[in-house]
Amino acid sequence: MTRTFIHGGTVVSATGSQPLDVLVDGETVVAVLHPGSTALGADLAAAADRVLDATGKYVIPGGVDGHTHMQMPFGGTEASDTFATGTRAAAWGGTTTIVDFVVQKPGERVQDTLGSWHQKAAGQCAVDYGFHQIIGEVDDESLKGMSELVAEGVTSFKLFMAYPGVFYSTDGQILRAMQSAAGLGALLMMHAENGIAIDVLVEQALARGDTAPYFHGTTRPWQMEEEATHRAIMLAQLTGAPLYVVHVSAGQALAQIATARDAGQNVFGETCPQYLYLSLEEHLAAPGFEGAKWVCSTPLRSRAEGHQEELWRYLRTGDVATVSTDHCPFCMKDQKDMGIGDFSKIPNGIGGVEHRMDLMFQGVQSGQISLERWVEVCCTTPARMFGMYPRKGVISPGADADIVIYDPRGHTSIGLGKTHHMNMDYSAYEGFEIDGHVDTVLSRGRVIVDDGAYLGSIGHGRFVKRQLSQNLI
């Protein structure tokens, strides 16, 4: 097995930062040592097969993106990144583990859909991966299947209060699924928007001739997200189910989550970089059909209403538990342009799996969050939330050697022809300039990105059989 010695860097964890050296043997971290330590011998560098100099740089756990959609069928098309292209892009950006969503459609057994997603991903991924299960049809068969999936390492289940006729679950169905999740100790994930009311607003907008991408945002107002979030919290309180609200974009919805957490309830909020950096006015309102690039649900919010600052504040207080990407990319040509003349037909999704670590480090540079909080929300808490800790999300003896050497003095220019490796014909973050750079990425001890070169391979990534959430109160 290859022995790798990383020296000279500052190891950053969720609880602190200090100069430390890291010794990797094969796929595993075997020691984290103070510089100059002779506990394992006088000259670890000489005894190593490979030495990585991290002087002046941060050594952090590989990123864990707990919310991606590779090859997801949606709106008459399919997300443009395959497991091969999407996980390769993740690697470039310092993310070494993703958790993707298996989709159950009405009439399908959850066990069968899990099998089909295993077939999609097996032998295709550049980094490690796990699965959540979307329950598209809550019935006796699906509820029974939940226990079988937990035994197979799929320990979180997603429901939708949006998209009637596609994924939508009634309150009664949500209640039943939460009861099952509570009994299993599984995590219930929720897309919280009032889809019934939103559909009325969409119908009214189109009847008025309001067809541009901008109206995707105005027909999904923050009140629809706050109301659904509150309703989900109340159902979770009644059933005792732990609740994880995905892609929260409205400050008011996060206020509901904060109140529940203050009362001791197992409720967790996730947000995404697009809600911290992008806005309704600047992006969805772009001229012509350009705004389609940023159509996603929940939608981008108004900067004038202060949602972005509220999300940063809740990140600092801990009420936002994790930052994921909701990576669900579609190209403008032949995909997003399906909605020309009718915003409701634009496939919902933004690609960002490659840029999350950089974008959130920009929050460190601007003083919005601490260095340790960066690692906590992007690496450690996602690993704990989704039952992969301490194998993932930490640099400690016994952990997988998923490690990123990050240069705070480096620079990253985001955009097509620059750092774009996702299978998309545009970048949602075109022109962003990041003070920081992913220099080296190790996945289970193997160097897969180094000094501007991709050294990974399809099939290196393995399925992670997850435990129950380790982040509950």
Side-chain angles (χ1 to χ4, degrees), residues 300-372:
L300 304 184
R301 298 295 178 192
S302 168
R303 194 176 300 280
E305 293 177 349
H307 296 281
Q308 290 79 5
E309 284 305 311
E310 281 293 279
L311 264 61
W312 281 113
R313 181 172 71 84
Y314 282 117
L315 260 171
R316 290 190 293 273
T317 63
D319 293 299
V320 171
T322 68
V323 175
S324 301
T325 58
D326 190 11
H327 178 78
C328 192
F330 298 99
C331 293
M332 285 291 281
K333 181 177 172 55
D334 297 330
Q335 291 190 304
K336 291 280 190 178
D337 63 9
M338 294 165 61
I340 294 175
D342 183 349
F343 68 84
S344 70
K345 292 183 169 58
I346 301 171
N348 285 209
I350 288 179
V353 72
E354 182 175 354
H355 304 311
R356 180 182 63 121
M357 298 299 293
D358 282 327
L359 289 166
M360 294 312 298
F361 183 73
Q362 200 62 24
V364 176
Q365 297 288 61
S366 65
Q368 292 279 15
I369 56 173
S370 69
L371 186 63
E372 291 77 14

Side-chain angles (χ1 to χ4, degrees), residues 14-58:
T15 55
S17 308
Q18 58 180 315
L20 293 168
D21 295 337
V22 180
L23 181 64
V24 173
D25 194 357
E27 297 189 346
T28 307
V29 175
V30 294
V32 181
L33 308 155
H34 290 288
S37 171
T38 58
L40 297 179
D43 193 348
L44 290 177
D49 302 298
R50 175 174 54 209
V51 177
L52 300 175
D53 184 1
T55 300
K57 302 175 184 180
Y58 298 131

